[in-house]
Amino acid sequence: MASELHNLSQYDPTTVASGEGRKVGIVYADWNSEITYALRDGAIKTLTDNGVEASDITVVSVPGSFELIYGAAQMVKSKKYDAVIAIGCVIRGDTPHFDYICEGVTAGLTQLNVEYDTPVIFGLITTNNLLQAQERSGGRLGNKGDECAVTALQMMARFK
Ligand code: DLZ
């Protein structure tokens, strides 16, 4: 699990499936926008670098990470997309709120993956502080948005 051991932006392009003809939905949270916008942009770039047409990527924002569940569910139920990427960033605070949001989003997105035929990719960064989030959104450890895009490409190739 340690991102310290793995740069999130590194992948072998020869092993990544082409996204030609694929339609992808991205739902991202506005909370911690410095982080989530960088994740969103990384995901879009990696998808288009690997053959997905920009016009085939639908991008929708929701207020916070908790709303990713509803946003991703709407995208999945529309059956318009071959994969959906959910992007958010939750930074630990002084109260247990962090745990409730993280558990809620994880359970919600998991349920979508079990119940529906469209893969939902988990792009939720959960960190103890802002620096750790910056490191994973284009900083020292790469960009989790890139990793999500590569995961979406692989899942679409295998199951759609
Ligand atoms: C309320 C809240 C807090 C405290 N922290 C975050 C956060 O770090 N990251 C995030 O994406 N959203 C946060 N939110 C907002 C919740 O996700 C949600 O939008 C509200 O609880 C309303 O449902």
Side-chain angles (χ1 to χ4, degrees), residues 22-68:
R22 299 298 192 178
K23 294 193 180 343
V24 179
I26 297 177
V27 55
Y28 68 96
D30 281 328
W31 256 82
N32 297 318
S33 58
E34 172 201 341
I35 306 299
T36 59
Y37 293 8
L39 299 175
R40 173 201 63 195
D41 294 346
I44 293 170
K45 180 171 187 314
T46 299
L47 289 171
T48 54
D49 282 352
N50 287 281
V52 182
E53 290 289 335
S55 57
D56 284 335
I57 304 173
T58 300
V59 184
V60 176
S61 69
V62 292
S65 290
F66 191 73
E67 287 72 44
L68 290 173

Side-chain angles (χ1 to χ4, degrees), residues 29 31-32 63-67 88-91 97 101 124:
W31 256 82
N32 297 318
S65 290
F66 191 73
E67 287 72 44
C89 170
V90 194
I91 299 175
H97 198 81
I101 297 282
L124 185 71

Side-chain angles (χ1 to χ4, degrees), residues 72 92 94 130:
R92 190 183 289 279
D94 295 332
L130 179 61

